[in-house]
Amino acid sequence: MNVRGEIIEVREPREVSTQYGERSLAELVIRPDPNGSSPPSGAANSDRSTAAVTPEPTTVTLWGKWTHTAEHAQAGMELLLTDAEENEYQGNVGYTTSKNSYVVLEPGFLVNVTDVRSWVQCPRMYYLNKLSGIPLNYPVAKGTIVHEVFGDLLRGRDLEESIDERVAEAGLELGLLGREAEEVRDEVRRNAAAIEGWLSQGTLTEEDDWRSEYTLISPTFGIKGRADALRRGAPVELKTGKNTKRDPRFQDKIQAACYALMLEERGVPADTGTLLYTKNTALDRNEATGDLSPAKEFSVGSGLLDFVVRQRNEIAAMEFDSSVPTGYEADAKCEYCFEKDTCMVVAGRLGQESKAGAIGQAVPEEEREYFDRFYRALEEERRETHTEYRKLWEQTAAERADADRALVNLDPQGRRQIEGGRWELRAKKPGDAVSKLREGDVALASDGDPVEGHAELCRIRKLGGTAGDEVVVTVDEPLSLRRLDVYPSEISVDRMLTALHDAVLKGSEERKDVLFGRRAPAFSGETRTYIDNNAAQNEAVNLATRAEDCALIHGPPGTGKTYTIARTIRALVDRGDRVLLSAFTNRAVDNALEALREQGYGDSAEQSSAGNRTQSDYVVRFGTENGVREDMQDLRLVKEGEPNDRAAELNGASVVAATTSSCGSRPMREQSFDVALVDEASQLTEPNTLAAVNLADRFVLVGDHQQLPPVVRAENDLTESLFERLIEAYPDASVMLDRQYRMSQRIQAFASAEFYDGALRPATGEVAGQHLSGLGVDVDDLPPEIRDPVAFVDPDGSRAGNTNPREADRVAELVRAYVDAGVDPDDIGVIAPFRAQVAEITRRVDVTVDTVDRFQGSSKEVVLVSFVATDNMDGPIFEDTRRVNVALTRAKKALVLVGDASALESDPFYGRMLDWARR
DNA sequence: TCTCTGCGGAGAGGA
């Protein structure tokens, strides 16, 4: 049986005499989790009836080599013991390890296979890889291409066709690395020859069954990864580096053993692993000690699997309290390590202990403190992401579907092989099924069980379609498409971590002086008139152009933020600056680009045809095909093609527009700018902002900290934006746009008073006095309760979960009243705090209905807000009043608050809002 | 069960 629970005490390991002689053991005391203990396989949920009783602490005895794991265990960690034996010692009943047991620390912490690999090489290397990311370099780029070609060959694709396409796909990266396509194709061809030779060597018989790219997630061992290939059920890893030894490298074996471990968990054990070294040149192959085959097979014994688990436990234990490895944990030799310099520099700069030693001047105390604080915050965020993975197996299909995390009960509609040997799978989804999944997302496609069944990472090509129930995905290997799950990603955390690293360890001293409060931002140069009808906007452009370090533009709702951004960019480019335009969302990036184009800059007509851009005065949109809006696709940098052309296109652009997340990608990390201008800065975590800021000498942040803050999973330092921190530290480096072009006087009054000290005012009398009559509506045609431009309606509903059906009915009635009075449905928007209520209202009306969070950045002539709450305003969603600011400031001419009067009155803030609405 | 956008998912290798 399996035993699982929280560790409450760890006792010293000791030697004891047994009938087999001297043996070591370690005892742990755990509080068993009644749901976690289960028979070794299958029926995990069979004994849930015992859940009601809180179990007594139990002693777990770890024998032999598992005492190693006990040495890393701490109270508070979760422990999983598989194949446990019940035992009784001196009257106490407990559990011990058996011959087949594994001991797993923090099984919910999901370690990547490559992380286990690098940890085995050296724990410091694991840390350094995580911290600084792997930069753009040729061996890695080439390795990636060879892997892709390998997969293509296994799927039966023509070699030359595969090489041509895969090299072309890597065009941008290769170009940035200064490589010619033909040279790369030749090299890939040489590597592929080794693969092909082996494939056709007779090693393979008719019974050989192959599959490529196998995704595995292990709930038991807390490991996830993707094997290059399986041959007769055993893992095959391709390595394009040099290995002139007879045996595979140890860390390569560890990698294959990780996959073998996960296969064993699925009941299909593999007792061998194969490493395929394609090597570089014929010369290298001759050096191979008599062994001409690129393939090296090795046996995967239980000792190796145990070792892998123990190594993985070391990582989980290290991450449990976010501590930093020193290198002494392993016996790697620093003198031969090619990361030695980096290792020593990081150690020296951050004041860390390192086996390799430390060089360089430590960064000031406050920077180290900052680094540590954000490092912990980001690791905490990573752990929250891991709980999302865990739900893949802890929740039932129905629970996943209810949480909008999966589409279940899909009806497979067939498959076909597409270009490149890959597959297109089709299915129908139950008509009313909704989820967070969107077209273009990477998701986990499965036959119904994403963890124990057959699952593949896929790309969603179509969701909905004209019939509304169509699902189309593409995958490397075919399966019966019955379920689609959100696949959580750590990319965001990884990129924030590298941005933090770059900011503290690579950032210029001048910028760090400002970031760490040692010096106020400086300004210089002449003041000019850029915008003649709005003093604050003009001041904002001047602040940005005169900034020597940074400028902060505070843009409340409707104040012409986007216009000001476009004008600023133009001013900067006109004087010769190279500018990075960034924002949190693709939508904001494209909006800013649109404004730039409206001002006559960067229009595609002006840009010469792609590949022939010689003048450096054009705009490039850097982003994914799905992320970039249709009308900006012509500016989008296509990464595929002739390396030199692709690189020249990016390098030559005087304005590059990309999300902050993209700024953390490898090609973008190679770019440099004079100025980074970041929109939606108040919605960005500090490390996210740094990803853009790191790429430029100076930066301009645009945002409104009175609107929504960053969305993060963990409660920590990430919730305050850099924008907010700096605007509080340096009010003199900021300007607030104080004239709004959106709301009538009556509508803006509450927000202005509550959030902007009354400083937000209508830009013109026309804006202030706008009214529904401007839409050709006779107010007398409306029901009396909504004739005032700001109205309150209490439908006397009651909250049920995150919905309020009666309130939804009332909202629908009011929407119809507006439409009947002549308001165009396109001019009406409905806002609700919860997605469930959004769905409830959407069923009743045919106008835009969305959450507050998704409405940020847009506006409507008429807005209705459904508050849902009854009884009181408790709950996190209502506590952050900035959300209300956003909701109330979306309306131009009419605003209706729909909610429960007594609940709203129970809170001072909402009470004031009610007084204003009822005035 | 609060809100949620990004991102090639992970891994690609160097002596």
Side-chain angles (χ1 to χ4, degrees), chain A residues 37 80 142 206 213-214 220 251 269 287 334 394 415 490 500 593 607 744 830 848 876 889:
Chain A
S37 307
L80 170 62
K142 186 194 68 186
E206 291 295 313
E213 305 282 19
Y214 197 78
T220 305
Q251 64 265 28
E287 282 170 29
C334 299
E394 287 184 350
R415 61 181 70 160
E490 292 177 48
L500 175 68
L593 273 187
Q607 302 202 12
S744 72
V830 180
T848 306
T889 53

PDB file of all heavy atoms in Angstrom, chain A residues 37 80 142 206 213-214 220 251 269 287 334 394 415 490 500 593 607 744 830 848 876 889:
ATOM      1  N   SER A  37      -3.453   7.586   1.264  1.00  0.00           N
ATOM      2  CA  SER A  37      -3.007   6.214   1.416  1.00  0.00           C
ATOM      3  C   SER A  37      -3.873   5.321   0.568  1.00  0.00           C
ATOM      4  O   SER A  37      -5.089   5.370   0.635  1.00  0.00           O
ATOM      5  CB  SER A  37      -3.129   5.808   2.880  1.00  0.00           C
ATOM      6  OG  SER A  37      -2.458   6.753   3.678  1.00  0.00           O
ATOM      7  N   LEU A  80       5.690  10.643   0.599  1.00  0.00           N
ATOM      8  CA  LEU A  80       4.951   9.526   0.008  1.00  0.00           C
ATOM      9  C   LEU A  80       5.835   8.293   0.049  1.00  0.00           C
ATOM     10  O   LEU A  80       6.997   8.340  -0.373  1.00  0.00           O
ATOM     11  CB  LEU A  80       4.572   9.850  -1.443  1.00  0.00           C
ATOM     12  CG  LEU A  80       4.004   8.690  -2.269  1.00  0.00           C
ATOM     13  CD1 LEU A  80       2.703   8.169  -1.693  1.00  0.00           C
ATOM     14  CD2 LEU A  80       3.806   9.109  -3.722  1.00  0.00           C
ATOM     15  N   LYS A 142      21.191  24.204 -33.001  1.00  0.00           N
ATOM     16  CA  LYS A 142      21.412  23.074 -33.905  1.00  0.00           C
ATOM     17  C   LYS A 142      20.838  21.798 -33.307  1.00  0.00           C
ATOM     18  O   LYS A 142      20.182  21.006 -33.998  1.00  0.00           O
ATOM     19  CB  LYS A 142      22.922  22.901 -34.160  1.00  0.00           C
ATOM     20  CG  LYS A 142      23.232  21.856 -35.197  1.00  0.00           C
ATOM     21  CD  LYS A 142      24.699  21.463 -35.179  1.00  0.00           C
ATOM     22  CE  LYS A 142      25.032  20.715 -33.904  1.00  0.00           C
ATOM     23  NZ  LYS A 142      26.469  20.420 -33.754  1.00  0.00           N
ATOM     24  N   GLU A 206      11.019  -5.956 -38.056  1.00  0.00           N
ATOM     25  CA  GLU A 206       9.606  -5.694 -38.270  1.00  0.00           C
ATOM     26  C   GLU A 206       8.870  -5.385 -36.975  1.00  0.00           C
ATOM     27  O   GLU A 206       7.932  -4.620 -36.943  1.00  0.00           O
ATOM     28  CB  GLU A 206       8.941  -6.894 -38.956  1.00  0.00           C
ATOM     29  CG  GLU A 206       9.385  -7.106 -40.388  1.00  0.00           C
ATOM     30  CD  GLU A 206       8.980  -5.966 -41.294  1.00  0.00           C
ATOM     31  OE1 GLU A 206       7.820  -5.554 -41.214  1.00  0.00           O
ATOM     32  OE2 GLU A 206       9.828  -5.488 -42.065  1.00  0.00           O
ATOM     33  N   GLU A 213       8.363  11.688 -29.305  1.00  0.00           N
ATOM     34  CA  GLU A 213       7.850  12.737 -28.412  1.00  0.00           C
ATOM     35  C   GLU A 213       6.761  12.271 -27.454  1.00  0.00           C
ATOM     36  O   GLU A 213       5.583  12.502 -27.658  1.00  0.00           O
ATOM     37  CB  GLU A 213       7.290  13.902 -29.254  1.00  0.00           C
ATOM     38  CG  GLU A 213       8.273  14.471 -30.256  1.00  0.00           C
ATOM     39  CD  GLU A 213       9.299  15.389 -29.612  1.00  0.00           C
ATOM     40  OE1 GLU A 213       9.480  15.309 -28.374  1.00  0.00           O
ATOM     41  OE2 GLU A 213       9.929  16.167 -30.331  1.00  0.00           O
ATOM     42  N   TYR A 214       7.168  11.623 -26.408  1.00  0.00           N
ATOM     43  CA  TYR A 214       6.194  11.053 -25.489  1.00  0.00           C
ATOM     44  C   TYR A 214       6.141  11.880 -24.197  1.00  0.00           C
ATOM     45  O   TYR A 214       7.117  11.972 -23.457  1.00  0.00           O
ATOM     46  CB  TYR A 214       6.606   9.609 -25.185  1.00  0.00           C
ATOM     47  CG  TYR A 214       5.518   8.782 -24.584  1.00  0.00           C
ATOM     48  CD1 TYR A 214       4.503   8.255 -25.371  1.00  0.00           C
ATOM     49  CD2 TYR A 214       5.494   8.516 -23.216  1.00  0.00           C
ATOM     50  CE1 TYR A 214       3.497   7.483 -24.817  1.00  0.00           C
ATOM     51  CE2 TYR A 214       4.498   7.745 -22.653  1.00  0.00           C
ATOM     52  CZ  TYR A 214       3.498   7.230 -23.455  1.00  0.00           C
ATOM     53  OH  TYR A 214       2.505   6.475 -22.905  1.00  0.00           O
ATOM     54  N   THR A 220       3.171  10.255  -8.798  1.00  0.00           N
ATOM     55  CA  THR A 220       3.871   9.572  -7.706  1.00  0.00           C
ATOM     56  C   THR A 220       5.229  10.190  -7.428  1.00  0.00           C
ATOM     57  O   THR A 220       5.565  10.487  -6.289  1.00  0.00           O
ATOM     58  CB  THR A 220       4.065   8.073  -8.051  1.00  0.00           C
ATOM     59  OG1 THR A 220       2.793   7.511  -8.350  1.00  0.00           O
ATOM     60  CG2 THR A 220       4.708   7.327  -6.895  1.00  0.00           C
ATOM     61  N   GLN A 251      24.851  11.706 -16.814  1.00  0.00           N
ATOM     62  CA  GLN A 251      23.624  12.537 -16.761  1.00  0.00           C
ATOM     63  C   GLN A 251      22.659  12.190 -17.894  1.00  0.00           C
ATOM     64  O   GLN A 251      21.450  12.352 -17.757  1.00  0.00           O
ATOM     65  CB  GLN A 251      23.951  14.035 -16.753  1.00  0.00           C
ATOM     66  CG  GLN A 251      24.631  14.573 -17.977  1.00  0.00           C
ATOM     67  CD  GLN A 251      26.147  14.620 -17.805  1.00  0.00           C
ATOM     68  OE1 GLN A 251      26.723  13.828 -17.057  1.00  0.00           O
ATOM     69  NE2 GLN A 251      26.787  15.571 -18.485  1.00  0.00           N
ATOM     70  N   PRO A 269       7.031  -1.216 -17.529  1.00  0.00           N
ATOM     71  CA  PRO A 269       8.438  -1.007 -17.195  1.00  0.00           C
ATOM     72  C   PRO A 269       9.362  -1.213 -18.390  1.00  0.00           C
ATOM     73  O   PRO A 269       9.083  -2.025 -19.268  1.00  0.00           O
ATOM     74  CB  PRO A 269       8.704  -2.044 -16.106  1.00  0.00           C
ATOM     75  CG  PRO A 269       7.639  -3.070 -16.270  1.00  0.00           C
ATOM     76  CD  PRO A 269       6.448  -2.352 -16.821  1.00  0.00           C
ATOM     77  N   GLU A 287      37.215   8.419 -33.396  1.00  0.00           N
ATOM     78  CA  GLU A 287      37.798   8.401 -32.056  1.00  0.00           C
ATOM     79  C   GLU A 287      37.044   7.467 -31.126  1.00  0.00           C
ATOM     80  O   GLU A 287      37.550   7.072 -30.095  1.00  0.00           O
ATOM     81  CB  GLU A 287      37.783   9.810 -31.448  1.00  0.00           C
ATOM     82  CG  GLU A 287      38.894  10.698 -31.992  1.00  0.00           C
ATOM     83  CD  GLU A 287      38.706  12.133 -31.554  1.00  0.00           C
ATOM     84  OE1 GLU A 287      38.121  12.334 -30.474  1.00  0.00           O
ATOM     85  OE2 GLU A 287      39.122  13.027 -32.291  1.00  0.00           O
ATOM     86  N   CYS A 334      34.840  21.135 -10.313  1.00  0.00           N
ATOM     87  CA  CYS A 334      34.650  22.481 -10.849  1.00  0.00           C
ATOM     88  C   CYS A 334      35.695  22.824 -11.909  1.00  0.00           C
ATOM     89  O   CYS A 334      35.432  23.597 -12.819  1.00  0.00           O
ATOM     90  CB  CYS A 334      34.703  23.504  -9.731  1.00  0.00           C
ATOM     91  SG  CYS A 334      33.422  23.247  -8.497  1.00  0.00           S
ATOM     92  N   GLU A 394      -5.830  15.034  -9.319  1.00  0.00           N
ATOM     93  CA  GLU A 394      -6.575  15.054  -8.066  1.00  0.00           C
ATOM     94  C   GLU A 394      -8.054  15.342  -8.289  1.00  0.00           C
ATOM     95  O   GLU A 394      -8.885  14.981  -7.470  1.00  0.00           O
ATOM     96  CB  GLU A 394      -5.967  16.083  -7.106  1.00  0.00           C
ATOM     97  CG  GLU A 394      -4.635  15.597  -6.533  1.00  0.00           C
ATOM     98  CD  GLU A 394      -4.057  16.530  -5.508  1.00  0.00           C
ATOM     99  OE1 GLU A 394      -4.574  17.653  -5.358  1.00  0.00           O
ATOM    100  OE2 GLU A 394      -3.066  16.133  -4.856  1.00  0.00           O
ATOM    101  N   ARG A 415      -9.268  11.302 -37.624  1.00  0.00           N
ATOM    102  CA  ARG A 415      -7.931  11.869 -37.667  1.00  0.00           C
ATOM    103  C   ARG A 415      -7.403  11.774 -39.071  1.00  0.00           C
ATOM    104  O   ARG A 415      -7.871  10.964 -39.860  1.00  0.00           O
ATOM    105  CB  ARG A 415      -7.025  11.058 -36.740  1.00  0.00           C
ATOM    106  CG  ARG A 415      -6.922   9.607 -37.172  1.00  0.00           C
ATOM    107  CD  ARG A 415      -6.065   8.774 -36.272  1.00  0.00           C
ATOM    108  NE  ARG A 415      -6.671   8.548 -34.962  1.00  0.00           N
ATOM    109  CZ  ARG A 415      -6.325   7.561 -34.148  1.00  0.00           C
ATOM    110  NH1 ARG A 415      -5.349   6.737 -34.486  1.00  0.00           N
ATOM    111  NH2 ARG A 415      -6.925   7.386 -32.993  1.00  0.00           N
ATOM    112  N   GLU A 490       5.217  26.853 -16.821  1.00  0.00           N
ATOM    113  CA  GLU A 490       6.100  27.589 -15.917  1.00  0.00           C
ATOM    114  C   GLU A 490       6.874  28.664 -16.649  1.00  0.00           C
ATOM    115  O   GLU A 490       7.733  29.330 -16.072  1.00  0.00           O
ATOM    116  CB  GLU A 490       7.071  26.614 -15.239  1.00  0.00           C
ATOM    117  CG  GLU A 490       6.370  25.680 -14.272  1.00  0.00           C
ATOM    118  CD  GLU A 490       7.321  24.671 -13.643  1.00  0.00           C
ATOM    119  OE1 GLU A 490       8.387  25.079 -13.168  1.00  0.00           O
ATOM    120  OE2 GLU A 490       6.992  23.476 -13.662  1.00  0.00           O
ATOM    121  N   LEU A 500      14.752  39.011 -13.439  1.00  0.00           N
ATOM    122  CA  LEU A 500      15.270  39.418 -12.131  1.00  0.00           C
ATOM    123  C   LEU A 500      16.793  39.290 -12.112  1.00  0.00           C
ATOM    124  O   LEU A 500      17.512  40.192 -11.686  1.00  0.00           O
ATOM    125  CB  LEU A 500      14.642  38.532 -11.044  1.00  0.00           C
ATOM    126  CG  LEU A 500      15.154  38.724  -9.625  1.00  0.00           C
ATOM    127  CD1 LEU A 500      14.732  40.082  -9.086  1.00  0.00           C
ATOM    128  CD2 LEU A 500      14.633  37.609  -8.713  1.00  0.00           C
ATOM    129  N   LEU A 593       0.158  50.262 -31.302  1.00  0.00           N
ATOM    130  CA  LEU A 593       0.635  50.247 -32.690  1.00  0.00           C
ATOM    131  C   LEU A 593      -0.385  50.904 -33.615  1.00  0.00           C
ATOM    132  O   LEU A 593      -0.024  51.648 -34.533  1.00  0.00           O
ATOM    133  CB  LEU A 593       0.869  48.813 -33.159  1.00  0.00           C
ATOM    134  CG  LEU A 593       2.216  48.186 -32.871  1.00  0.00           C
ATOM    135  CD1 LEU A 593       2.303  46.835 -33.559  1.00  0.00           C
ATOM    136  CD2 LEU A 593       3.338  49.094 -33.351  1.00  0.00           C
ATOM    137  N   GLN A 607       6.437  50.897 -45.423  1.00  0.00           N
ATOM    138  CA  GLN A 607       7.487  49.902 -45.269  1.00  0.00           C
ATOM    139  C   GLN A 607       7.688  49.181 -46.590  1.00  0.00           C
ATOM    140  O   GLN A 607       6.739  48.748 -47.213  1.00  0.00           O
ATOM    141  CB  GLN A 607       7.098  48.888 -44.206  1.00  0.00           C
ATOM    142  CG  GLN A 607       6.831  49.541 -42.883  1.00  0.00           C
ATOM    143  CD  GLN A 607       6.966  48.573 -41.720  1.00  0.00           C
ATOM    144  OE1 GLN A 607       7.465  47.475 -41.889  1.00  0.00           O
ATOM    145  NE2 GLN A 607       6.556  48.993 -40.564  1.00  0.00           N
ATOM    146  N   SER A 744     -19.395  61.065 -18.990  1.00  0.00           N
ATOM    147  CA  SER A 744     -20.104  62.302 -18.658  1.00  0.00           C
ATOM    148  C   SER A 744     -19.694  62.711 -17.243  1.00  0.00           C
ATOM    149  O   SER A 744     -19.203  61.897 -16.456  1.00  0.00           O
ATOM    150  CB  SER A 744     -21.617  62.082 -18.716  1.00  0.00           C
ATOM    151  OG  SER A 744     -22.035  61.298 -17.621  1.00  0.00           O
ATOM    152  N   VAL A 830     -22.209  44.680 -20.330  1.00  0.00           N
ATOM    153  CA  VAL A 830     -22.578  44.249 -18.986  1.00  0.00           C
ATOM    154  C   VAL A 830     -21.329  43.703 -18.304  1.00  0.00           C
ATOM    155  O   VAL A 830     -20.565  42.940 -18.900  1.00  0.00           O
ATOM    156  CB  VAL A 830     -23.673  43.164 -19.014  1.00  0.00           C
ATOM    157  CG1 VAL A 830     -24.027  42.725 -17.593  1.00  0.00           C
ATOM    158  CG2 VAL A 830     -24.902  43.653 -19.749  1.00  0.00           C
ATOM    159  N   THR A 848     -22.386  42.465 -25.241  1.00  0.00           N
ATOM    160  CA  THR A 848     -21.114  42.081 -24.632  1.00  0.00           C
ATOM    161  C   THR A 848     -21.250  41.953 -23.118  1.00  0.00           C
ATOM    162  O   THR A 848     -21.651  42.902 -22.450  1.00  0.00           O
ATOM    163  CB  THR A 848     -20.035  43.148 -24.942  1.00  0.00           C
ATOM    164  OG1 THR A 848     -19.981  43.336 -26.344  1.00  0.00           O
ATOM    165  CG2 THR A 848     -18.674  42.712 -24.419  1.00  0.00           C
ATOM    166  N   PRO A 876     -12.573  38.168  -1.517  1.00  0.00           N
ATOM    167  CA  PRO A 876     -11.434  38.861  -2.126  1.00  0.00           C
ATOM    168  C   PRO A 876     -11.808  39.719  -3.339  1.00  0.00           C
ATOM    169  O   PRO A 876     -11.229  40.774  -3.552  1.00  0.00           O
ATOM    170  CB  PRO A 876     -10.495  37.729  -2.519  1.00  0.00           C
ATOM    171  CG  PRO A 876     -11.305  36.480  -2.437  1.00  0.00           C
ATOM    172  CD  PRO A 876     -12.395  36.723  -1.475  1.00  0.00           C
ATOM    173  N   THR A 889     -15.930  53.027 -14.644  1.00  0.00           N
ATOM    174  CA  THR A 889     -15.379  53.989 -15.600  1.00  0.00           C
ATOM    175  C   THR A 889     -15.363  53.449 -17.025  1.00  0.00           C
ATOM    176  O   THR A 889     -14.642  53.951 -17.878  1.00  0.00           O
ATOM    177  CB  THR A 889     -13.948  54.401 -15.196  1.00  0.00           C
ATOM    178  OG1 THR A 889     -13.171  53.215 -15.009  1.00  0.00           O
ATOM    179  CG2 THR A 889     -13.960  55.204 -13.904  1.00  0.00           C
TER     180      THR A 889
END
